[in-house]
Amino acid sequence: MNPTVNNLAFSTTFNAAGARYRGIVLSANVGIMRDLAFNASYNIQSAAYIGIPQDILLQNTNLLDGGQITGIPLRQGTAGLSYQQRSGFAARIDTTYVGSNNSWNRNPFWFANASVSQTSGRVSVGLGVYNLVNSAAQQYGLIGAGVFVPQNYYGGGAFGGPTSAIQPGTEEYGLPFRQYWLTTKVSI
Amino acid sequence: MYHNHGYLLSDDFASAKNDVGFGYTWLHQANTNGQFPYILCNGNTQNVFGTYPPLSLATASYFARDTWMPNDKFSAFATVWVQRSLNTISTHFDPRLSLVFRPTTNDVIRLTSGRAYSEPDPSLLTPAPPSYGSPTSVNCPSTTTGSGALVAIASEADPNLLPETANDVELAYGHRFNFSTSIQADAYQSWENQALLSGNVPISSIAQITVPQHLIAINIFSA
């Protein structure tokens, strides 16, 4: 359909509302045995905009007044194992859990990073791997494959709601495929 | 490319159970962005790497602080900031108080409350020629109200934006089982005012502005 002045818009930023963030963070560090430690954290965060004017809700249907802000997961967590020898060898693996309502428009997922390093004197050499097992990895965004992103009253619900999963057209994003990092550090 | 500079002037008066300090700080950050190919204000493209005029962020602040430790189990930390946001021409009074209690050598409880502010990114404030997307791909919906009625074809700054401000309170507990094993729990709540929202506004509602000449000037490295 040909654009009209009623269709076209600028994207911009407003001071238009309040926001309330509430959360609980639980974390632990556990020494399993000599040189080996486990650490974990679990984060629950409620994040909501409060008092968004109606005209902004009308024009930005993914803004929810009082609902969880789109793109901020309610639950996230991390867990990691670290091994540190006094000789200078170190290794660790870290996993991250990302709950629903994430900015990738995906169902909950997790990914892991790992690294090993050896320090000798003033020289340290490390090898890191990002996204060790290719979790949620994809080359392109997949339009229509994303999870349903909640809309306010003025969204699709005002017109009877979507009639197919494709209609909302949510794009599912992914993480990069496995990447390797080789780093060398020399202390002067 | 970021270029940060600033200075801090402060003095502290330490006693056995009380440390008092005050000071003044001025911070400035210049953010320079470049692009290849470079797009001129008239929309024409040149196949060179060019830099846009730098965007600045500056803050001038007075502060006073006090650390009070009457005994081994209790300590209190207080800070009061009076901060001037030079970009938004606004002044903010931001006190913060932390009370720390250690009932045993392996337990600690902390209660913190305070105010804070956060300035908008200078790119959101600075009037500049709007950066247009790809108008040839505009696909307008058949309705003019409701979901997806507005199709953004460009982004624009708002020089009248104010900083976000927040009041927060936090309660934290930590316990140490041994030298390598510990747990922590933290609960918090933050109320934010003047929240910055991204969204669309109809073109017809945007007033015309005049872009300052110094923001139109361009720097092109090589032809």
Side-chain angles (χ1 to χ4, degrees), chain A residues 16-21 47-53 64-67 69, chain B residues 191-192 195 197:
Chain A
R20 183 200 63 216
Y21 300 89
Y49 291 122
I50 307 291
I52 305 174
L64 309 176
D65 193 1
I69 296 173
Chain B
W191 285 96
E192 186 179 292
L197 300 181

Side-chain angles (χ1 to χ4, degrees), chain A residues 46-66:
Chain A
S46 164
Y49 291 122
I50 307 291
I52 305 174
Q54 294 293 313
D55 60 330
I56 292 179
L57 290 173
L58 177 67
Q59 292 154 8
N60 302 276
T61 55
N62 286 330
L63 291 176
L64 309 176
D65 193 1

Side-chain angles (χ1 to χ4, degrees), chain B:
Chain B
M1 181 173 64
Y2 292 94
H3 177 213
N4 299 317
H5 66 283
Y7 61 87
L8 166 67
L9 301 172
S10 67
D11 201 0
D12 290 283
F13 302 92
S15 63
K17 295 182 178 179
N18 204 39
D19 293 343
V20 179
F22 63 92
Y24 174 82
T25 180
W26 183 83
L27 303 171
H28 182 271
Q29 180 181 79
N31 178 8
T32 305
N33 289 300
Q35 184 178 350
F36 177 90
Y38 195 84
I39 302 173
L40 300 175
C41 299
N42 59 12
N44 293 336
T45 299
Q46 294 194 1
N47 288 322
V48 296
F49 182 84
T51 59
Y52 294 102
L55 300 174
S56 295
L57 186 66
T59 306
S61 308
Y62 294 93
F63 65 88
R65 60 188 175 217
D66 186 23
T67 301
W68 181 48
M69 291 176 286
N71 53 55
D72 291 341
K73 291 193 173 184
F74 180 77
S75 52
F77 304 84
T79 309
V80 175
W81 288 85
V82 178
Q83 305 191 85
R84 180 68 171 168
S85 163
L86 301 178
N87 289 63
T88 60
I89 318 298
S90 58
T91 303
H92 303 269
F93 177 70
D94 294 333
R96 183 162 297 276
L97 175 66
S98 290
L99 304 176
V100 180
F101 180 58
R102 296 179 181 81
T104 73
T105 55
N106 291 321
D107 294 278
V108 60
I109 299 169
R110 176 173 58 85
L111 178 64
T112 298
S113 184
R115 282 176 53 86
Y117 92 110
S118 175
E119 295 189 87
D121 186 277
S123 66
L124 301 178
L125 285 167
T126 308
S131 54
Y132 288 92
S134 179
T136 55
S137 65
V138 169
N139 185 19
C140 286
S142 56
T143 60
T144 54
T145 61
S147 175
L150 292 177
V151 177
I153 59 167
S155 58
E156 184 55 277
D158 181 356
N160 298 314
L161 288 179
L162 293 172
E164 295 175 310
T165 61
N167 299 294
D168 58 78
V169 61
E170 178 184 3
L171 178 63
Y173 169 73
H175 177 75
R176 181 174 59 193
F177 294 95
N178 55 51
F179 77 97
S180 64
T181 301
S182 62
I183 58 170
Q184 298 88 36
D186 189 308
Y188 62 89
Q189 174 170 285
S190 177
W191 285 96
E192 186 179 292
N193 300 306
Q194 316 269 33
L196 291 170
L197 300 181
S198 296
N200 297 329
V201 293
I203 278 183
S204 56
S205 69
I206 301 283
Q208 286 193 339
I209 61 170
T210 301
V211 178
Q213 189 62 37
H214 73 279
L215 291 173
I216 298 178
I218 61 171
N219 304 302
I220 296 176
F221 284 142
S222 61

Side-chain angles (χ1 to χ4, degrees), chain A:
Chain A
M1 185 170 180
N2 290 329
T4 70
V5 70
N6 294 322
N7 291 113
L8 302 180
F10 281 97
S11 64
T12 187
T13 310
F14 324 91
N15 286 113
R20 183 200 63 216
Y21 300 89
R22 289 174 176 161
I24 296 173
V25 181
L26 303 174
S27 57
N29 300 287
V30 180
I32 298 175
M33 52 187 288
R34 184 181 174 184
D35 301 335
L36 184 64
F38 171 78
N39 66 277
S41 69
Y42 187 65
N43 184 350
I44 301 173
Q45 185 184 48
S46 164
Y49 291 122
I50 307 291
I52 305 174
Q54 294 293 313
D55 60 330
I56 292 179
L57 290 173
L58 177 67
Q59 292 154 8
N60 302 276
T61 55
N62 286 330
L63 291 176
L64 309 176
D65 193 1
Q68 184 77 359
I69 296 173
T70 302
I72 299 182
L74 186 66
R75 300 178 182 87
Q76 297 185 85
T78 63
L81 272 176
S82 66
Y83 180 73
Q84 175 77 58
Q85 278 189 339
R86 294 183 182 178
S87 62
F89 176 78
R92 66 173 299 126
I93 181 169
D94 294 289
T95 60
T96 300
Y97 167 80
V98 181
S100 56
N101 195 49
N102 55 66
S103 58
W104 288 271
N105 295 333
R106 302 185 72 97
N107 286 313
F109 66 98
W110 65 275
F111 64 96
N113 305 325
S115 66
V116 294
S117 66
Q118 175 67 52
T119 301
S120 179
R122 294 186 297 181
V123 179
S124 177
V125 178
L127 174 65
V129 185
Y130 171 81
N131 200 1
L132 186 65
V133 293
N134 281 334
S135 294
Q138 60 191 47
Q139 196 80 38
Y140 306 100
L142 302 177
I143 297 173
V147 298
F148 181 77
V149 175
Q151 295 183 328
N152 63 37
Y153 170 78
Y154 300 104
F159 304 96
T163 56
S164 73
I166 301 297
Q167 189 173 343
T170 308
E171 185 169 357
E172 180 188 72
Y173 302 102
L175 299 178
F177 284 89
R178 184 186 302 119
Q179 297 175 348
Y180 299 92
W181 304 88
L182 179 63
T183 57
T184 303
K185 184 171 72 175
V186 179
S187 302
I188 300 174

